[in-house]
C-alpha cells in the first residue's frame, strides 16, 4: 500500500467486475450483456455524429433526454443522463441516498451498492431476502434515510410486483426510494408510471442490457424534477459532460427503434424459458427470473467448482462467493446456440463418472 494513500482509499473494498476475456472463443454468459447487436440504426447515427467531433457535446444532453422522455411518457425535466447507469447510481448515492438515517437495501443485491456506501461514507443496513430470494416490502418497515433496490433484483433475477413497489412508496413517503431497473425490460413492471404520484421515486435505467449498448456507457434516471436537479448539481460539481457525442447519437437511435427492441427482448425471453427448462432437466433449482439471466444451483455440486468446470469447457458464467448464494451460478441468457453450448457442457460435467 502506498504511504501516500488517504485512509479512506485504503479502507475501500472496490467492486470486482465480471471477467472480460481476451480470447474470443469463449461463450460469454457472465456479465449480462445482450447477445445480439444493437439496432441497425445505431451505426449510421454514430457515423453522422463523428462529423462533429471537434465540438464539445451538449452538457445537458437535451436531445437524449427528450428521447428518453418520449419513450417513457415523461418530460425532459424528469430525465437525467449519465455514463452508464453505474454513474447515474453513483450520483444518486451522493445526492440522494446519504441521509442522517441508514440507507436500506437487500442483503443479496447488486454488489456495487456497498461499494458506493464505502466511497461516500454512507451508513447502510441490509434487509434479508425472503426464503424464496424475493424482496418482502414489510421487512423495510424500519427507520431509514433512503431505500434502493433493483427490480428485478440482481443477481437473483426475482421481480417485485408494481403493487409492492407502490406499497413501499406509500409506507415511505418522506425518504428517497431508488428503483434500479437495469433489467426491467425482460419482464418486470416498471415503476416509471408511479413517478407522477411519488416525488420521492427515482427510477434508474441502462441501455447496456436491453438495448445492447454496454460498450457505449449510457444510463439515465427518471424522477421528479427536484430529484433530477440534485443529480445535476452533483454532476456539474465534477465539471463533467454526461456523455459524449457518439454515445448520445447512438442512444437516441437505439431508444427510437422500438421494433428492434421488442424483437430482441422477445428472443431473449423465449431463450430464457428454454434455458430454464434445460437447467431444470439437469436437476438445477432455478429461481423465478424476469431478467436476461437465470440464477441456478445444483443440489450435488458446489457453485465455484461448477463455474471452474464450465470455464474449462469454454463457457463463462458468474459465481458470487457469498453466504446463502455460494451454491448458485448466474447465467446470462445468450443466443440459442450459446445456451445449447452451456447445456451441453453441463451435461458432460454432471455425467456420472
Ligand atoms: N444495476 C444493476 C443491478 C446491474 O447489474 C448493472 C450492471 N452491472 C448496473 C446497474 C450497471 O449497468 P451499466 O453501468 O452498464 O448501465
Amino acid at each position: 500500500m502506498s504511504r501516500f494513500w488517504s485512509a479512506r482509499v485504503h479502507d475501500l473494498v472496490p467492486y470486482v467486475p465480471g471477467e472480460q476475456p481476451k480470447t474470443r472463443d469463449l461463450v460469454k454468459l457472465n456479465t449480462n450483456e445482450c447477445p445480439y447487436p444493437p439496432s441497425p440504426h445505431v451505426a449510421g447515427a454514430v457515423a453522422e455524429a463523428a462529423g462533429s467531433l471537434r465540438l464539445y457535446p451538449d452538457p445537458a444532453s437535451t436531445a437524449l433526454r427528450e428521447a428518453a422522455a418520449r419513450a417513457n411518457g415523461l418530460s425532459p425535466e424528469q430525465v437525467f443522463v449519465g455514463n452508464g447507469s453505474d454513474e447515474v447510481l453513483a450520483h444518486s448515492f451522493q445526492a440522494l441516498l446519504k441521509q442522517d438515517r441508514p440507507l436500506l437495501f437487500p442483503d443479496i443485491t447488486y454488489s456495487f451498492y456497498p461499494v458506493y456506501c464505502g466511497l461516500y461514507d454512507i451508513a447502510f443496513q441490509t434487509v434479508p431476502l425472503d426464503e424464496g430470494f424475493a424482496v418482502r416490502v414489510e421487512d423495510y418497515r424500519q427507520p431509514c434515510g433512503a431505500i434502493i433496490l433493483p427490480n428485478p433484483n440482481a443477481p437473483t433475477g426475482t421481480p417485485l410486483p408494481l403493487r409492492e413497489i407502490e406499497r413501499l412508496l406509500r409506507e415511505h413517503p418522506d425518504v428517497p426510494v431508488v428503483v434500479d431497473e437495469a433489467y426491467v425490460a425482460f419482464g418486470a413492471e416498471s415503476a416509471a408510471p408511479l413517478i407522477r404520484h411519488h416525488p420521492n421515486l427515482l427510477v434508474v435505467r441502462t441501455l447496456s442490457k436491453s438495448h445492447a449498448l454496454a460498450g457505449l456507457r449510457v444510463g439515465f434516471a427518471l424522477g421528479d424534477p427536484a430529484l433530477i436537479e440534485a443529480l445535476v448539481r452533483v454532476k456539474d460539481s465534477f465539471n463533467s459532460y454526461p456523455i459524449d457525442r457518439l454515445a448520445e447519437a447512438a442512444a437516441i437511435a437505439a431508444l427510437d427503434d422500438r421494433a428492434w427492441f421488442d424483437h430482441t427482448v422477445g428472443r431473449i425471453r423465449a431463450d430464457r424459458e428454454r434455458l430454464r427448462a434445460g437447467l431444470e432437466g439437469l436437476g438445477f433449482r432455478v429461481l423465478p427470473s424476469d431478467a436476461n439471466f437465470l440464477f441456478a444451483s445444483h443440489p450435488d455440486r458446489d457453485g465455484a467448482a461448477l463455474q471452474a468446470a464450465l470455464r474449462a469447457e469454454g463457457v463463462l458464467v458468474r459465481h458470487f462467493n457469498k453466504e446463502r448464494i455460494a451454491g448458485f451460478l448466474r447465467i446470462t441468457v445468450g443466443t440459442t446456440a450459446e445456451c445449447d453450448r452451456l447445456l451441453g457442457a453441463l451435461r458432460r460435467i454432471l455425467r456420472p463418472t
Side-chain angles (χ1 to χ4, degrees), residues 56-60 80-81 83 87 91 94 230-244:
Y56 280 109
D58 170 10
F80 175 84
V81 167
N83 285 281
E87 187 185 68
H91 290 342
Q94 225 183 353
L231 299 176
V232 170
R233 283 196 194 190
V234 169
K235 173 188 81 73
D236 286 351
S237 308
F238 285 112
N239 187 23
S240 63
Y241 287 94
I243 59 171
D244 62 58

Side-chain angles (χ1 to χ4, degrees), residues 161-183:
L162 193 57
R163 60 170 191 285
E164 290 300 298
I165 296 178
E166 206 165 3
R167 189 150 72 96
L168 184 75
L169 288 162
R170 268 202 314 276
E171 290 177 5
H172 299 276
D174 299 322
V175 304
V177 175
V178 175
V179 181
D180 177 354
E181 294 191 342
Y183 303 101

Side-chain angles (χ1 to χ4, degrees), residues 97-299:
L97 302 184
K98 182 171 179 154
Q99 303 284 347
D100 292 339
R101 288 179 159 173
L103 168 67
L104 301 182
F105 52 81
D107 62 340
I108 299 164
T109 196
Y110 187 27
S111 43
F112 230 127
Y113 300 165
V115 176
Y116 293 130
C117 288
L119 196 54
Y120 298 124
D121 200 17
I122 300 172
F124 67 93
Q125 172 76 46
T126 59
V127 182
L129 294 180
D130 71 11
E131 322 74 55
F133 292 88
V135 166
R136 194 165 40 202
V137 164
E138 45 273 40
D139 296 341
Y140 287 73
R141 274 185 211 136
Q142 49 182 298
C144 65
I147 298 171
I148 181 165
L149 33 93
N151 190 35
N153 190 36
T156 55
T158 40
L160 188 63
L162 193 57
R163 60 170 191 285
E164 290 300 298
I165 296 178
E166 206 165 3
R167 189 150 72 96
L168 184 75
L169 288 162
R170 268 202 314 276
E171 290 177 5
H172 299 276
D174 299 322
V175 304
V177 175
V178 175
V179 181
D180 177 354
E181 294 191 342
Y183 303 101
V184 80
F186 302 102
E189 296 169 285
S190 173
L194 304 179
I195 287 170
R196 315 197 261 148
H197 302 295
H198 298 278
N200 58 329
L201 168 63
L202 191 80
V203 171
V204 178
R205 296 266 185 81
T206 177
L207 298 194
S208 297
K209 322 289 180 181
S210 51
H211 289 83
L213 290 175
L216 208 63
R217 313 306 302 130
V218 180
F220 55 89
L222 307 170
D224 189 85
L227 295 188
I228 301 300
E229 171 63 20
L231 299 176
V232 170
R233 283 196 194 190
V234 169
K235 173 188 81 73
D236 286 351
S237 308
F238 285 112
N239 187 23
S240 63
Y241 287 94
I243 59 171
D244 62 58
R245 280 182 172 270
L246 303 183
E248 183 171 26
I252 293 168
L255 278 172
D256 283 346
D257 193 348
R258 191 74 209 184
W260 176 94
F261 175 83
D262 289 341
H263 177 69
T264 304
V265 165
R267 282 167 94 175
I268 293 169
R269 289 178 69 171
D271 275 322
R272 178 181 70 208
E273 296 320 309
R274 276 188 66 243
L275 180 58
R276 168 188 302 284
L279 290 168
E280 285 175 351
L282 289 170
F284 279 87
R285 171 191 184 192
V286 187
L287 296 190
S289 170
D290 264 345
N292 65 340
F293 56 84
L294 292 173
F295 206 49
S297 66
H298 197 278

